[in-house]
Each structure stands twice: as structure tokens, then as C-alpha cells.
Amino acid sequence: MTEQTPVNQTAAKPVPTLPDAQKVTSVKHWTDRLFSFRVTRPASLRFRSGEFVMIGLMGDPDPVTGRQKPLLRAYSIASPAWDDELEFYSIKVQDGPLTSKLQHIQPGDQIILRPKPVGTLVHDALLPGKRLWFFATGTGFAPFASLLREPQTYEDYDEVIITHTCRDVAELEYGRTLIAELQADEMMQELIGAENLAKIRYYPTTTREQSPKMGRITTLLENGTLFSDLGIDGISPQTDRAMVCGSIGLNTDLKKILEGFGLEEGANSDPRHYVVEKAFVG
């Protein structure tokens, strides 16, 4: 009689464990260029809403040595500091070293997450004020997705204005959906308070596709359209604080505009009137 090996003795190939690995719990593709995903949170990770961490995947094996190196990029944490999981919002770059791979992750996959949060878009870097501005373009909305779900945001300010500028209407959907769900969610109303969530004023604009409000946010600031639309006199260092997250060009232009209003740039060690996330470009 020929000896046969039982099927259940055939060992499955072990799944390699990444360094600083966290498991992907959900993925949502918003457009062909944008997606968000959630991962498990390390039990020891503590961060302030608005900070970022380095995340990534292993790169392709070296053709000579066969060794792989991690591909890591700075990603703002889009979930608030109290969340059990970590959320990220990403662009897809087809030939990008990391996002060409990252865009294909599925629930159950692993990513690398270096648990050392840093960043300037935190409440500690701003002096007390009455009105807080979030200026975002593209996936620069991510840190504000965290701060919009942070109770301290509403404890510190009477009004919270979030501007989000994208090329096309579909690229605004992540932010629009988040704010709508935030204001309708019973748990968030209990945590933050319905009266506090009513402080949010959402101002989306597009630069290419036709929408109710067109134009770069810098132009709308400089020509006063933003203020007239919102019924606000302007920006003043006595009352207004701002956070900026976008492309290098936007960051540079907004710095000049905000300083033209008399605001001074702050840092964790020197709180002032506005802060800019220098690690983000997109």
C-alpha cells in the first residue's frame, strides 16, 4: 500500500511579520486617487490629536542582496487621540514608491507603524483665542479630521471654521461625509455636545470642477470673499488662531496672508497665533 500524506498535514506558508506591524481593519476608496484606512492601535501609543507618525510597507527586494528595506512616509493620524484604532487618509500615486503599494492593502494585511508621534498641528502650539481656522487642501484634511473629533477643540474655541480646497467635487467627499456624520452621530453628540458641534462651519471649494464655491482659498482670503460669505469682519491676532496643512505652495502663500493679518507663527515650544504642518505635502 502506498503511504499517503494527510491533507491537513500540509503546512501553510507562514505570513511574515513586519517590524512595528499593525493590522489593517478597514479600507475605503473615495475616488481613483484617494482612499482612507484604519489599523489597530499599539497599546502603548499616546498622541495628541493633530500629530503624525511614520507608516509604510517593505520595499522590493534588492536585486543583488535580496534584502528589503522599509518604505516609510509621514502620515497625519486622522482619528482623534481617544479612538481605539488609527485612521489615515492617503492619495494614490501610481508610480509612488509607497502609495503604489499602499493603495492595494486589504483588511487583515499589515503595515509598518513607527509609534513616535510628532507634529505642530496641536492645540499646545497656539495661544488661547476665540475662533479657530483649519486651512486644508487635498489629503491635508487628515489632521483636522482628528481635531474635529477632539473635545478640546470645542472647549477652547467659540467657532471652528474648516476650509477644504480640492480640484474636483469628489475629492471633497471624505471631509464632507466626516463632518455630516460627526454632527449626526449620537455618541459624538454625547461626547462633544450638540451645541459644540454646531460651532463647526464648513467651507469647501474646488479649483477645477464646477461647484457652489470655486477658487483657491488664498484668493478667496485676499479678495475678502471668504469673509463676506461667512459674515466675518476678518482675521485678527486678538481673536483668531489658524492651522494650515497643504502643499508647499499653499503653506507659503497662507503664511504670508496670515502674517499680513498680524498673526505670528507658533511652535510646541513657543505658542503663537498660527501653525503650519511642514511634514505634509499633497
Side-chain angles (χ1 to χ4, degrees):
M1 185 172 69
T2 304
E3 185 177 351
Q4 296 181 342
T5 303
V7 174
N8 61 6
Q9 287 185 8
T10 304
K13 285 186 69 175
V15 178
T17 300
L18 298 178
D20 294 315
Q22 295 301 319
K23 184 183 290 186
V24 177
T25 59
S26 65
V27 181
K28 179 163 184 176
H29 294 270
W30 297 89
T31 72
D32 59 358
R33 296 182 66 250
L34 298 167
F35 71 109
S36 61
F37 58 98
R38 293 176 69 86
V39 304
T40 53
R41 176 175 178 170
S44 60
L45 178 62
R46 299 290 180 270
F47 70 95
R48 295 174 295 175
S49 294
E51 289 187 312
F52 67 86
V53 290
M54 303 296 290
I55 67 172
L57 297 168
M58 296 303 291
D60 294 329
D62 184 281
V64 178
T65 65
R67 293 178 180 174
Q68 291 177 279
K69 293 183 179 180
L71 289 170
L72 301 173
R73 298 288 185 271
Y75 269 73
S76 293
I77 303 172
S79 46
W82 51 262
D83 203 326
D84 292 336
E85 294 184 337
L86 301 177
E87 182 180 330
F88 299 97
Y89 183 43
S90 178
I91 193 170
K92 305 176 189 179
V93 182
Q94 299 310 320
D95 57 352
L98 176 58
T99 58
S100 61
K101 301 174 182 291
L102 192 64
Q103 64 184 289
H104 299 298
I105 57 172
Q106 300 289 333
D109 291 346
Q110 294 179 342
I111 68 161
I112 303 168
L113 189 148
R114 295 285 162 82
K116 295 179 180 178
V118 290
T120 56
L121 300 185
V122 293
H123 288 304
D124 294 343
L126 294 176
L127 294 169
K130 293 184 178 180
R131 181 164 50 216
L132 179 61
W133 297 81
F134 294 143
F135 293 106
T137 58
T139 51
F141 191 93
F144 305 137
S146 174
L147 287 158
L148 283 167
R149 292 179 277 189
E150 170 57 55
Q152 185 184 347
T153 300
Y154 307 95
E155 295 167 5
D156 290 355
Y157 297 94
D158 298 332
E159 193 172 14
V160 179
I161 301 172
I162 170 79
T163 78
H164 191 201
T165 302
C166 296
R167 295 183 308 173
D168 304 320
V169 173
E171 295 173 346
L172 296 166
E173 189 62 18
Y174 173 80
R176 187 200 66 77
T177 299
L178 184 143
I179 292 172
E181 291 180 348
L182 174 63
Q183 293 180 320
D185 186 86
E186 289 184 6
M187 188 199 81
M188 295 305 300
Q189 290 180 7
E190 186 174 338
L191 175 67
I192 295 175
E195 71 285 357
N196 284 325
L197 293 173
K199 295 178 180 179
I200 299 172
R201 304 190 69 182
Y202 175 48
Y203 192 88
T205 73
T206 57
T207 57
R208 188 172 66 181
E209 185 181 359
Q210 190 68 35
S211 72
K213 182 55 63 176
M214 301 283 296
R216 286 169 52 86
I217 196 64
T218 46
T219 302
L220 299 172
L221 268 168
E222 289 178 316
N223 65 21
T225 300
L226 175 62
F227 301 131
S228 61
D229 285 346
L230 295 175
I232 292 172
D233 290 338
I235 289 177
S236 161
Q238 282 72 45
T239 55
D240 294 86
R241 303 294 174 258
M243 296 185 179
V244 180
C245 191
S247 64
I248 292 176
L250 175 92
N251 292 354
T252 302
D253 292 344
L254 272 175
K255 279 166 63 77
K256 291 178 183 177
I257 293 170
L258 293 174
E259 289 174 5
F261 290 131
L263 274 61
E264 298 175 347
E265 185 173 4
N268 280 276
S269 59
D270 184 22
R272 296 287 174 151
H273 307 120
Y274 80 93
V275 285
V276 176
E277 185 52 83
K278 301 176 180 64
F280 174 84
V281 177

